[in-house]
Amino acid sequence: MSTGAGIDVQRQLESLIQDFRAGDAPMPVIVLHAEDAADDDRVTELVDELREGQQRHGTRLAVAPTEPQPGDLDPTAQAVRLLRDLGDSRKWGDRSAAYRPYSFPRLSLVRALQEATDDPEMREHWPTAPAGTPDGNAQREQAQTHLLRILARQRWRPRRPARRNRQVLLNDVQQFLPMGVLGAFTALLTRPEWYVAVLAGIGLMILLAALNHVPGRAPLFLWLRRESRWFLTTTFLQSAARRQSTSVRLLRPVRSWRAIAARAYDVSEAMREGGSFPLQLYVLALFEDLRDGHRRGSWDLRGLKRTRPPVLFLRRVSRENGGIELVRAVSDVRSRRSELDPLLIVAGVATDDAALLDRGAETSAPVNRPQPQLRSGPSRLQQRLRHWYDEWAGNLRADQSPSRTNALPWVLRIPLPRDELIQLRQADWRCVRAGHRPSVARVVWSAHSLILVLALAATVGVIHARDLHRTYCSAGLLTADRDTELRPAPGGGTECVGIAASDVRFGAHLSGGADEEGGRLRELEELVHAENAEVLRDRPGAYVTVVYAGPLSSAAVDPSLVKGAEELAGVYLAQRVVNENYRVKVRVLLANGGADMGHQRVTADAIAEYADRDPTVVGVVGFGRDLQSSPDVTRRLHSAGLPVVSGTNSATYLPKEFSNWFSLAAPDEHQAEALGLVARQLRGRDRAPHALVLARDTKESQDRYTSEQALYGGEMLEREGFRLLPARTYRVANGKPELRLHAESICRGKNVPSVIYFAGRVEDVGPLMTQLGVEPGCANREISILTGDDLSKAKFSGTGGRDGVAPRITLYHAALAELREAASGTAFYQDAAEHLPWLEDGEATYDAPDFASGQTALAHDATRALYWAASLGDVRQSPAATWINLRGVKLDGMATGTIDFTDAPLYGERHGHSIVLARVRRTPAGVSKAEVLCSRPAGNTEPLDVKECSIK
């Protein structure tokens, strides 16, 4: 500042700004004038210096055009002209000012209404008949309709240049952003892909924006805009609404539209009448927009970020340019509203016009007008300025009284003496600035902080989403189906395990998805889910849920899905038969234990957790492989109160240790005893031949079945009088058995065994036959191989399969399902032909490739047994009741015979399992032929004997 007066006034302005940072200080209209008329130009220069200083300090400021304008306008119209352009945010400083630009929606609405009122098209539509008469009412309605048409054409906005229409379009679209976010969030609840939710939100925003900008129509949700709410609720306009209610409701758009239409027309009529009303409405709208722009409780905390009040500069106010009327209107509106607004006005006035800002041109000076005082000391004006401001602020309460006619209580007039307006040496120029440290809100709650937080949230979200997609089989952007998980598969890759309680399909996660078994599994999954949907739709309160847990995925080292696909076919067949013939329906949920049930512990946990949420779950069918984790799995389901009915798990120890375990498979110990009838015939009467137990090494695997088979097979051979050679174990690497060294040692040793008990898996038999068939010492020697029920899954050449035996080697194996004797007494094959869509005429027989292994039949019978216990008396049972009822199950006419649990002791073995002893040998034609030596259907407790199982 180049003058002493400038330095002191600037210091006083900064003092007001400092007070504004701490609270809502009253902001006066500071009017500067010289004591001597000859110094009027110096005052104008001082106002310009104040403007430049505030601009450098980052203050939002505007300069009203006080230059004389052509035309013969009255002072009130001139005052309106000063305010019309202040609704443009570009008039209030550049981007260097604190925080983002101002917005003036209320001032724009008033200007739009003024332009519609002054539109030439409205001239002939204003009513001419007296109000209250029929003609007057009709004319008024027509005028209102036409006014609304003009406003709709303007989009209820002032007429703007074409280059600014894009900004208005963007501002209008912003109001639909929350609805777009809501639409995207609603879409996310359905757990689609992330891009579907994004497209849903963007599509909703585009639709609303398109509807919002239909030509000739009012914008959507007009009454919900902040300027419309102010327009309808401010008491300043209540006197204009004379005939119709102006209440507005969020959920009553028609009534709200009528309210805003009535208010718009009433205000338009009042503006047409002229007077001080239009000017005061402009002033009020400006104050309300600035007050809203500095509201501390807003979502963006803008009031805490804009720490400097806006300043309006009027270089030279006079009666001719409307400045005097504007100052009077500001004081009148503030006195009437009695609300603090942040606008600080600095105006310069000629000395001769200063009296117009007192009580009027002809009145005496007010008691609070600053009086000349003795000037002594270097800070004399500074002290007087502070004293004048304190006195002015203290007298506001009295000066706003209605009895103070023509008083301008919000005006602080400051006379500047000549000696204070003399330019100082440049070295003495000063410019004081209030504390300008950025507020905490501006640092913490800012666009940069928001971008940082969004970036961190997006990063965390992406990492979390990737983690969800890597961990769970079905995952969205934020959520996942936690009943299924992705776990490492043998040989590499992943497999989906757990319980498919929602829309997960295990077949969709198969690595080799085009093979026949994979296609069969996917088809069965769709059939089961379709049947479940029908049950939930038609009988929502009369069904039980059975969980099938089996190997529904394959590994790279062994891509076979035979067991899982065949068992699932039996479960589905039982479901269809039950749902077509019984009142209580059955819903089947699929649970995948992984390839070879390697993740069955995870699956058991998922089943137990789901059963806690779904009381309709009554039990589990499956878990047909005996592994090291089988006791833990059974114990976990036991603690969840769920019984297990297995079709193929032949573990001897499980029914002895767990009361919730029921199995249709003959235990390993019983199988070894039955194979002992064959071994007895192979030994002969007078000699003690050598025998060997060859077992798969289970140290690095979960397999327990082969260990049990080796244990009981060795005991059986020793019991039957064989001389046992040291047992051998072979390793499996990358899914292939390492048998060559064992075959060489066995066949080239001093004592070549005539009987080998093979405690391995069906996939290991082919390599074993190949090795024994070419080794000297075995190739020309009659050798018998005894093995357990896992060989029932083999498909020998005689049945159209892929497996076979070497020449001069006879294979004897046990099987779990006697289908031939039971076929005549069951409807299983008839039901299969009707409900399994891939079967053609004549393919549903007990020796057909799809049924010969017995997997389908055993799974069917296990499901029917569990359902019988869960629907006893044709009433839906609880899991606990189902557990108890299983010990009373006796079902005739099943695929494997009679399923009878009535003689099953608690913690003990039962009898009456279905069992088959089969022989496979090479025919003279060079193909393998399988035949049944002896068998027992389920329910027959008569033991097998040597005569019946003769190998001759």
Side-chain angles (χ1 to χ4, degrees), residues 350 820 868:
R820 182 179 57 184
W868 187 94

Side-chain angles (χ1 to χ4, degrees), residues 464-514:
H464 180 63
R466 292 187 63 185
D467 184 63
L468 290 179
H469 282 82
R470 291 175 178 176
T471 305
Y472 300 102
C473 306
S474 176
L477 186 62
L478 300 175
T479 60
D481 178 3
R482 299 179 182 272
D483 293 320
T484 52
E485 300 179 11
L486 292 174
R487 290 298 178 110
T494 59
E495 55 186 344
C496 179
V497 300
I499 179 171
S502 56
D503 295 328
V504 173
R505 301 290 190 273
F506 295 116
H509 294 268
L510 297 178
S511 55

Side-chain angles (χ1 to χ4, degrees), residues 254-569:
V254 175
R255 182 174 178 180
S256 301
W257 168 250
R258 290 174 181 171
I260 195 172
R263 175 60 62 86
Y265 182 76
D266 288 333
V267 172
S268 180
E269 279 190 331
M271 296 179 75
R272 180 169 171 263
E273 294 173 1
S276 62
F277 174 75
L279 175 59
Q280 293 191 6
L281 184 56
Y282 270 100
V283 172
L284 176 65
L286 175 63
F287 287 168
E288 292 292 339
D289 284 330
L290 292 175
R291 182 182 294 113
D292 185 58
H294 284 265
R295 187 160 51 90
R296 289 183 171 85
S298 58
W299 68 271
D300 58 349
L301 304 179
R302 51 185 176 267
L304 297 176
K305 299 174 184 178
R306 291 171 173 151
T307 56
R308 301 181 70 89
V311 182
L312 175 62
F313 286 95
L314 303 171
R315 298 182 70 242
R316 176 69 66 83
V317 297
S318 65
R319 183 181 292 275
E320 290 74 17
N321 62 19
I324 299 296
E325 294 300 323
L326 175 58
V327 172
R328 288 178 177 275
V330 168
S331 186
D332 290 343
V333 171
R334 284 178 169 173
S335 297
R336 176 175 175 181
R337 297 293 291 172
S338 297
E339 294 178 355
L340 294 177
D341 61 81
L343 181 62
L344 175 61
I345 300 177
V346 179
V349 66
T351 303
D352 295 337
D353 292 335
L356 298 176
L357 296 174
D358 288 337
R359 290 182 175 275
E362 312 232 338
T363 58
S364 60
V367 295
N368 68 329
R369 174 181 173 178
Q371 299 296 326
Q373 298 181 7
L374 293 176
R375 298 189 295 272
S376 61
S379 59
R380 55 190 181 277
L381 182 58
Q382 177 185 352
Q383 294 173 357
R384 282 182 292 157
L385 287 175
R386 190 65 196 178
H387 170 73
W388 289 341
Y389 175 78
D390 293 340
E391 187 178 14
W392 167 82
N395 291 333
L396 272 181
R397 291 168 292 183
D399 283 348
Q400 293 186 69
S401 301
S403 61
R404 301 295 297 272
T405 307
N406 292 329
L408 299 180
W410 287 89
V411 175
L412 175 59
R413 184 161 63 85
I414 300 176
L416 301 176
R418 168 170 290 186
D419 59 349
E420 294 287 345
L421 293 172
I422 298 174
Q423 188 170 7
L424 304 173
R425 293 179 306 169
Q426 190 169 2
D428 295 331
W429 291 8
R430 298 287 184 271
C431 188
V432 180
R433 183 178 183 181
H436 56 280
R437 185 181 59 186
S439 63
V440 175
R442 188 175 176 187
V443 175
V444 176
W445 191 253
S446 65
H448 298 89
S449 300
L450 178 61
I451 292 173
L452 178 61
V453 170
L454 290 178
L456 292 175
T459 303
V460 172
V462 169
I463 295 175
H464 180 63
R466 292 187 63 185
D467 184 63
L468 290 179
H469 282 82
R470 291 175 178 176
T471 305
Y472 300 102
C473 306
S474 176
L477 186 62
L478 300 175
T479 60
D481 178 3
R482 299 179 182 272
D483 293 320
T484 52
E485 300 179 11
L486 292 174
R487 290 298 178 110
T494 59
E495 55 186 344
C496 179
V497 300
I499 179 171
S502 56
D503 295 328
V504 173
R505 301 290 190 273
F506 295 116
H509 294 268
L510 297 178
S511 55
D515 62 306
E516 179 182 356
E517 294 170 357
R520 178 68 52 79
L521 175 62
R522 286 186 284 272
E523 183 180 8
L524 283 167
E525 281 192 288
E526 295 302 327
L527 291 173
V528 170
H529 279 81
E531 189 69 18
N532 289 342
E534 185 175 348
V535 169
L536 294 175
R537 181 180 65 252
D538 298 338
R539 300 300 295 274
Y543 71 89
V544 293
T545 299
V546 171
V547 179
Y548 164 67
L552 298 179
S553 58
S554 59
V557 295
D558 181 21
S560 175
L561 278 167
V562 171
K563 181 176 179 62
E566 290 188 356
E567 285 187 340
L568 184 55

Side-chain angles (χ1 to χ4, degrees), residues 60 85-93 98-109 157 160 164 167 171 174 226-227 284-295 298-300 302 306 310 342:
R60 290 282 184 189
D85 292 334
L86 294 183
D88 186 351
S89 60
R90 295 178 299 177
K91 300 290 185 181
W92 292 86
Y99 199 44
R100 54 189 175 89
Y102 284 132
S103 61
F104 298 92
R106 298 163 185 82
L107 193 59
S108 297
L109 176 60
R157 289 284 191 264
R160 301 172 185 268
R164 297 207 59 204
Q167 173 109 23
N171 291 337
Q174 287 177 355
R226 51 182 173 172
E227 64 268 29
L284 176 65
L286 175 63
F287 287 168
E288 292 292 339
D289 284 330
L290 292 175
R291 182 182 294 113
D292 185 58
H294 284 265
R295 187 160 51 90
S298 58
W299 68 271
D300 58 349
R302 51 185 176 267
R306 291 171 173 151

